Amino acid sequence: MSRDRDYGRRDVLRAGGIVLGGSLVSGPAAAADGEGATTLTVLSYNDIQTAAAQDENFPRLVTLIEQRRAAADGPVVVVGGGDEVGPHALSPISQWRAPVDVLNEVEPDADVIGNHEFDYGLDPISDVTADSEFPWLATNLVDTETGEAFDGTESYRIVERGGVSVGIIGLADQGATTGKTNIDFAAEGITIEDYTETAPAEAKRLKEEEGVDAVVALAHTGIGDAEGLAEADADDDIDVIVVGDDEQLYPPQEVDGSIVSESRARAAYLSEIELTIEGGEVTAWDGELIEVTEDVEKDPTASGIINDYRAEVSLDSPVVETETPLNATFGANYHRETGYGNLITDAMRERVDADAAITNAGGIRSDSVYGPGEITGGDIFNTLPFPNTVVSLELTGEELVETLESQVVTLESDTGQQFGEEISQQTSGLRFEWVPHDDADELVREVYVGGEPLDPDETYEVAVNSYIANGGSGYPLEDKPVVEETGELQATTVVDYLEPQETIAPTVEGRMQRVDRDLPDASVTVDGNGKVVTQFDAPDDVDSVAEDTVAVWASDGEHLDAEKAVFDDEEATLMVRVDDGDLAETVEDADDGEEVPLDLYAKYESSEFDHIYFERSRLNADVAATVRRRGRGRAGPPGR
């Protein structure tokens, strides 16, 4: 449902600084401690999400918070960076209640409304806050008429502890509101103020009018925007920025006079920042990320809460055995086809007997890999935790292409420069190429539906989840005709699909083929004898070709690795050789004289493209293969 991602982790987990002349320089907090100084510890977490349904990291995080509270040399403030109440496997049963019940045991001083706090709708926010024994902040999400925090939330919270006064504010950007929910905030009477203007102004007010010693901003914005907030805070009134949303491992570090930190997600880390408060201001700091490991004992109360909810839905019951890994990581599902994405969409397509199925990459959660081995119902609900149902829509071929193109992120875009080019979805019943570059004539091309070339004027039944059917994740589907509304949770659909099967082994089948540059078209004859050799002129940006990656693909997913491939860098040519007999088996269903469209793909080093996620660029050539049977009937072994 959202685009929260973390494709890597930073190696350095500790940093520190001293405030001198309005900026931070390296050095431990203790270096500035003097008579009358107080050490304030800020503990923070963010994006609990799927951990809320598991008796693993979350109960351990509760214990770790209590341990660090006890070890602190002075007052402690505990805060969250948002996205705590969803999505998780218990959402269909407990909604927000399981994570809120556990957080009530933590007794945080404040948390911020993030996009996943809206998973259950706008009105239930007041139910979330009513069940919470701590405040939820939304400083820049205000009632349009009154200018005050919208129903159930607070604009700020001041914590007085150990002689120190701390002002806390909560912020969300457009990406974490209109960009990741289906809520029309303007129509609901909520104004989303520019956090880079609202936050510095509120921080200044808290210091000048309320007399707080430090200001902590809970920013559900992601690291990039949080760094932008630090830069926008010209007077350095915001001392700490606790970040959520993009789930990065970002140890505390100084950015333009503010200390910025993010604890990745799913209760995997706790951020600890020590501020030296002296004379009513922060004079030094030290900080680190502390990993939540199995060495930390689980808090028994937190474990009991989670396990009581789990028992209601039998999440620990085995469903199927998988022989291949089920990859639910963000990095894989946003960037490329995955075996698990194929399984999910196959289940959706079968459920409504549709021509094709599409699901958004952000709807596949947990950022984990399951199997090989036993898969439980909890595993499926953990990866598909939203209350989305399976819906089928009627789309023309032209609309189907537009739908697929809506999710392509080009390498040259701002998102592409941060995360790399992305296809951002998983599909079934479809095969197509995607060209992730701003100069591409078509972002999606050569589309096949059920093995047949797409007809722009034909109508197709396409299975999707209810979130994207309503226009979520930027899909242009909100006004499309509905064929069937199952009312069945997407996770339930997948479980029902798996239960009759003893074992599964989903793999990557070439449903979505990335292409950076094209080779010239080629024509070959396939008669089942000898070798087929073709030479291509290479584009100017090809420095070298990974010869072991060259393969020929048919439109039904059958493919054949090249027997030999040689790139001549002086002549800028690529020679490819395949066994004719093996190639004939790839097109064995073709009639004598029939021309079969094939595609050749190869990975290469480019002098032009600097990829963020992928290691290499990718070439494509359209190959027209004319089948000749030579009077032997269909190609095949003797006696067939």
Side-chain angles (χ1 to χ4, degrees):
M1 205 169 146
S2 85
R3 297 178 59 81
D4 311 330
R5 292 162 288 191
D6 174 29
Y7 303 148
R9 54 178 292 172
R10 299 168 185 259
D11 294 324
V12 181
L13 299 182
R14 189 175 181 88
I18 303 174
V19 177
L20 293 175
S23 63
L24 293 173
V25 296
S26 61
D33 284 353
E35 189 174 342
T38 300
T39 299
L40 169 71
T41 300
V42 179
L43 301 176
S44 66
Y45 50 84
N46 58 275
D47 299 84
I48 295 296
Q49 296 191 340
T50 54
Q54 298 173 301
D55 183 21
E56 294 293 342
N57 272 10
F58 199 9
R60 292 189 172 97
L61 177 66
V62 175
T63 297
L64 184 59
I65 290 172
E66 290 310 306
Q67 289 175 346
R68 300 314 300 163
R69 266 182 171 141
D73 183 20
V76 178
V77 171
V78 179
V79 292
D83 276 6
E84 322 296 6
V85 304
H88 56 85
L90 293 170
S91 294
I93 302 301
S94 82
Q95 296 180 305
W96 60 84
R97 295 177 183 86
V100 165
D101 287 352
V102 175
L103 288 175
N104 284 339
E105 296 299 314
V106 173
E107 297 181 327
D109 293 287
D111 212 314
V112 60
I113 296 291
N115 51 289
H116 286 304
E117 272 66 56
F118 294 109
D119 280 358
Y120 313 103
L122 178 61
D123 291 340
I125 290 291
S126 57
D127 296 322
V128 173
T129 58
D131 286 345
S132 302
E133 297 170 7
F134 54 91
W136 288 89
L137 307 182
T139 307
N140 68 317
L141 303 184
V142 301
D143 185 293
T144 303
E145 293 185 358
T146 67
E148 302 296 327
F150 76 93
D151 187 31
T153 67
E154 299 180 15
S155 292
Y156 66 94
R157 174 58 64 105
I158 296 176
V159 176
E160 304 278 354
R161 192 163 292 147
V164 172
S165 178
V166 183
I168 309 172
I169 58 178
L171 311 163
D173 62 2
Q174 293 283 149
T177 50
T178 56
K180 296 180 182 177
T181 74
N182 283 337
I183 296 171
D184 186 338
F185 287 88
E188 296 288 350
I190 297 175
T191 297
I192 306 170
E193 297 178 342
D194 185 340
Y195 65 96
T196 63
E197 296 178 1
T198 298
E202 182 62 8
K204 179 173 290 295
R205 188 193 71 80
L206 287 169
K207 285 194 170 179
E208 294 182 353
E209 297 182 16
E210 302 288 350
V212 302
D213 301 304
V215 172
V216 177
L218 314 180
H220 198 74
T221 62
I223 287 296
D225 287 343
E227 292 174 337
L229 171 60
E231 295 169 4
D233 181 29
D235 294 328
D236 295 336
D237 290 313
I238 302 174
D239 298 289
V240 174
I241 303 177
V242 170
V243 188
D245 189 50
D246 59 353
E247 305 184 14
Q248 289 196 43
L249 192 70
Y250 194 96
Q253 54 191 280
E254 183 270 335
V255 179
D256 270 275
S258 298
I259 306 154
V260 180
S261 180
E262 185 172 10
S263 304
R264 201 172 189 179
R266 292 169 293 283
Y269 289 87
L270 176 68
S271 173
E272 182 176 84
I273 298 171
E274 294 178 338
L275 303 177
T276 298
I277 308 293
E278 189 171 15
E281 64 179 8
V282 177
T283 58
W285 73 278
D286 195 15
E288 65 179 327
L289 293 183
I290 305 172
E291 187 171 7
V292 179
T293 68
E294 293 184 358
D295 293 335
V296 180
E297 293 185 3
K298 298 176 186 177
D299 179 85
T301 302
S303 290
I305 291 169
I306 293 172
N307 286 323
D308 284 347
Y309 279 113
R310 288 181 67 88
E312 293 183 32
V313 288
S314 302
L315 291 182
D316 297 316
S317 300
V319 173
V320 76
E321 187 94 6
T322 180
E323 296 175 353
T324 55
L326 305 185
N327 190 334
T329 62
F330 290 132
N333 283 282
Y334 268 100
H335 287 95
R336 54 187 170 83
E337 173 193 349
T338 66
Y340 190 41
N342 290 348
L343 185 153
I344 292 167
T345 50
D346 285 350
M348 296 167 60
R349 182 164 64 94
E350 181 182 277
R351 173 64 179 82
V352 293
D353 192 25
D355 299 302
I358 302 171
T359 198
N360 57 316
I364 302 174
R365 309 304 293 189
S366 88
D367 202 27
S368 301
V369 178
Y370 298 81
E374 186 178 86
I375 302 299
T376 67
D379 294 333
I380 303 302
F381 274 84
N382 210 36
T383 59
L384 298 170
F386 296 105
N388 298 328
T389 58
V390 175
V391 179
S392 67
L393 307 175
E394 182 180 274
L395 304 179
T396 66
E398 184 178 3
E399 290 171 336
L400 179 52
V401 173
E402 180 187 1
T403 298
L404 296 172
E405 286 186 331
S406 73
Q407 300 306 298
V408 176
V409 174
T410 63
L411 178 61
E412 296 79 15
S413 67
D414 290 342
T415 301
Q417 286 298 294
Q418 183 178 5
F419 296 113
E421 60 269 60
E422 297 176 339
I423 187 58
S424 309
Q425 59 199 327
Q426 298 294 316
T427 65
S428 175
L430 298 169
R431 295 189 186 279
F432 59 90
E433 293 176 349
W434 58 289
V435 187
H437 297 290
D438 286 346
D439 62 357
D441 294 331
E442 300 172 293
L443 294 178
V444 168
R445 66 188 194 184
E446 294 191 21
V447 182
Y448 287 81
V449 184
E452 297 295 327
L454 173 138
D455 183 341
D457 300 319
E458 183 63 75
T459 58
Y460 299 94
E461 184 177 353
V462 182
V464 297
N465 67 53
S466 54
Y467 173 68
I468 66 176
N470 291 322
S473 290
Y475 278 94
L477 299 174
E478 190 171 6
D479 60 347
K480 299 302 184 283
V482 175
V483 179
E484 182 177 352
E485 291 191 53
T486 66
E488 183 176 273
L489 290 172
Q490 187 179 19
T492 300
T493 294
V494 174
V495 169
D496 290 347
Y497 176 77
L498 292 175
E499 280 185 330
Q501 308 180 56
E502 291 185 6
T503 60
I504 58 171
T507 59
V508 173
E509 303 171 357
R511 299 182 182 186
M512 304 184 295
Q513 300 275 16
R514 174 176 60 97
V515 174
D516 292 290
R517 284 286 179 259
D518 290 315
L519 296 166
D521 295 347
S523 297
V524 298
T525 299
V526 180
D527 61 14
N529 297 291
K531 309 293 180 183
V532 175
V533 179
T534 306
Q535 183 168 290
F536 301 90
D537 292 329
D540 293 339
D541 70 312
V542 178
D543 285 341
S544 63
V545 175
E547 296 167 357
D548 60 345
T549 69
V550 181
V552 178
W553 289 72
S555 61
D556 62 359
E558 290 292 322
H559 62 280
L560 173 66
D561 291 336
E563 197 175 61
K564 187 176 181 63
V566 177
F567 174 68
D568 187 325
D569 58 348
E570 292 186 4
E571 298 295 329
T573 59
L574 174 65
M575 184 279 295
V576 178
R577 186 182 78 200
V578 298
D579 183 86
D580 202 338
D582 292 339
L583 188 59
E585 290 184 7
T586 304
V587 296
E588 64 180 353
D589 291 333
D591 295 325
D592 185 37
E594 183 179 349
E595 186 176 279
V596 179
L598 302 174
D599 282 288
L600 181 141
Y601 299 103
K603 294 180 181 179
Y604 74 102
E605 296 293 338
S606 171
S607 60
E608 179 178 355
F609 301 125
D610 185 12
H611 295 283
I612 309 298
Y613 176 83
F614 296 103
E615 291 185 2
R616 299 186 181 97
S617 300
R618 208 153 179 261
L619 293 166
N620 165 245
D622 291 338
V623 179
T626 302
V627 178
R628 299 298 182 196
R629 300 298 182 189
R630 294 192 172 184
R632 296 188 299 113
R634 294 191 181 276
R640 177 176 292 183

